[in-house]
Amino acid sequence: MLNEVAGIKIPDSILAKDARDILREHGNDLLWNHSNRAFLFGAIAGKKANKKYDLELLYISALFHDLGLTKEYSSPDLRFEVDGANAARSFLQQYHVPDESIRLVWDAVALHTTVGIAEHKEFEVSLLNSGVSLDVIGKGFEQFPADLREEIVKAFPRNNFKQDIIPAFYEGFKHKPETTFGNMNEDVIKHYRTEYKNKNFCECILHSPWKN
């Protein structure tokens, strides 16, 4: 494991190392490289903003943010983001991490795909969302320093990431498509099942048990 990439020191506490081991054991190279890139992209954004934040909590959040896609941590009925957040909470509780820090990590993981909300939460939550968004859809690509971007990708290669991440998402929640109602993950389900129809919000209102 590298000690530093693009001017960002990789956390090396026992907590950080154990979190790495969990992702390494239950994830794959795709999730490993993506999670580390997301952390570094977010950390550099935080450094540029010159605002105080907890680098280790951002790192833990990044390592757990897609763990809900894995067989070990995927539930039968919760959003994959919530599965990852719950896994992170259980992990941190074993180390007697303060409740406020645990809540922060839970929010960062659970909200990392929630556009329009995550960026207005605590800085660690916002930074994870920023790092993930840059890596997955290229948000902020042109504004991110090219030399740092290239150094990060060299350390944690993309290796056909654009082609592989969509099926990885699908495999992670194809058994519970109903959890994609009201969020961007429904697009992944429809990418593979064009006929799929989730609930409709307006129909939920009109067919509720209320008389008027």
Side-chain angles (χ1 to χ4, degrees):
M1 184 65 193
L2 299 169
N3 295 320
E4 184 176 309
V5 178
I8 300 297
K9 187 180 184 301
I10 308 295
D12 62 354
S13 64
I14 292 176
L15 186 68
K17 291 177 180 177
D18 288 351
R20 284 203 296 265
D21 288 345
I22 289 175
L23 180 56
R24 267 307 193 191
E25 179 181 356
H26 300 291
N28 54 24
D29 286 345
L30 178 76
L31 296 184
W32 170 255
N33 288 328
H34 164 56
S35 297
N36 279 280
R37 289 194 308 268
F39 159 70
L40 291 165
F41 289 145
I44 289 173
K47 186 177 181 180
K48 182 180 179 181
N50 197 28
K51 289 175 64 175
K52 185 178 180 181
Y53 70 97
D54 192 311
L55 186 71
E56 184 173 61
L57 292 185
L58 176 62
Y59 186 55
I60 299 297
S61 299
L63 293 177
F64 274 85
H65 88 277
D66 274 347
L67 205 63
L69 295 173
T70 67
K71 291 182 179 180
E72 180 69 20
Y73 291 96
S74 179
S75 71
D77 58 356
L78 298 177
R79 284 180 58 161
F80 89 89
E81 302 96 320
V82 173
D83 287 335
N86 287 344
R89 178 169 58 196
S90 296
F91 169 76
L92 292 171
Q93 286 173 338
Q94 297 176 42
Y95 295 80
H96 306 293
V97 173
D99 289 343
E100 180 63 19
S101 296
I102 294 175
R103 184 196 60 76
L104 190 65
V105 171
W106 196 95
D107 282 355
V109 177
L111 296 174
H112 80 267
T113 64
T114 308
V115 178
I117 293 180
E119 57 263 42
H120 299 290
K121 293 281 289 180
E122 291 85 349
F123 203 36
E124 291 84 355
V125 180
S126 174
L127 290 177
L128 179 61
N129 172 258
S130 173
V132 170
S133 295
L134 173 55
D135 199 49
V136 177
I137 62 173
K139 185 178 180 181
F141 183 88
E142 298 298 337
Q143 292 73 41
F144 198 91
D147 58 332
L148 298 182
R149 192 174 64 230
E150 291 168 5
E151 184 177 344
I152 291 170
V153 172
K154 182 178 179 181
F156 298 100
R158 289 182 66 84
N159 293 340
N160 296 315
F161 180 76
K162 290 172 72 171
Q163 289 71 36
D164 294 341
I165 190 59
I166 297 176
F169 283 142
Y170 182 66
E171 287 298 318
F173 49 73
K174 66 181 183 181
H175 60 292
K176 48 181 178 180
E178 68 282 354
T179 64
T180 67
F181 172 57
N183 65 78
M184 65 178 66
N185 298 319
E186 185 172 358
D187 295 338
V188 176
I189 297 295
K190 289 182 176 179
H191 182 77
Y192 290 94
R193 306 183 203 172
T194 55
E195 79 291 348
Y196 180 77
K197 276 193 174 183
N198 226 324
K199 293 183 292 185
N200 178 280
F201 180 50
C202 292
E203 291 179 0
C204 289
I205 296 173
L206 295 172
H207 295 139
S208 78
W210 292 102
K211 291 181 180 179
N212 52 44

